[in-house]
Amino acid sequence: MSENNTDQKQRIIQEYVPGKQVTLAHVIANPHRSIYLKLGLDDETAGAIGILTITPYEGVIIAADVATKSASVEIGFLDRFGGSLLLVGDVASVEAAVSEVLNYFNDVLHYSIAEMTRS
């Protein structure tokens, strides 16, 4: 093997640059009890889970405020360092809260938003 190797190695550097985005907005209607238990949620109090991921991460604080003021939902989990928010409540309330969060982030804060999905 020659010491004068002509093959050059390329180094790729990937960097995460958060934009103003709601990257996930999903409603799980009537999830199996085990999902509540694995997430550390009270499985007796809700019929749905709403999941949102937002960048920059501090946006979840605003999303939690908008969601709890717009519908009868509770915060199941809020991670201001990772941008995750879980909402719990009945199916209609969770859908209404997630929808209102998307509207607010789109219309007022001018974020790029994901379409709300449901399972």
Side-chain angles (χ1 to χ4, degrees):
M1 186 172 219
S2 172
E3 288 185 30
N4 293 332
N5 189 355
T6 59
D7 293 333
Q8 294 201 1
K9 293 183 181 180
Q10 292 186 8
R11 190 167 113 185
I12 298 172
I13 300 172
Q14 294 182 338
E15 211 174 315
Y16 177 68
V17 180
K20 290 171 44 174
Q21 301 175 356
V22 178
T23 55
L24 176 68
H26 187 79
V27 175
I28 302 174
N30 302 308
H32 191 273
R33 181 177 183 267
S34 64
I35 294 174
Y36 283 108
L37 297 176
K38 292 293 183 184
L39 292 172
L41 300 172
D42 181 4
D43 67 323
E44 300 296 322
T45 61
I49 299 172
I51 307 165
L52 292 154
T53 55
I54 300 171
T55 57
Y57 306 139
E58 296 82 5
V60 298
I61 300 165
I62 298 166
D65 180 57
V66 170
T68 55
K69 288 178 178 175
S70 66
S72 181
V73 294
E74 297 291 326
I75 299 169
F77 177 75
L78 185 152
D79 180 3
R80 65 186 175 108
F81 299 109
S84 299
L85 176 65
L86 293 180
L87 302 169
V88 294
D90 64 78
V91 176
S93 295
V94 170
E95 284 183 339
V98 171
S99 180
E100 188 58 33
V101 167
L102 292 176
N103 290 337
Y104 186 85
F105 274 72
N106 185 55
D107 299 343
V108 177
L109 299 177
H110 307 293
Y111 275 48
S112 296
I113 60 166
E115 182 178 332
M116 181 171 59
T117 55
R118 182 178 177 199
S119 62

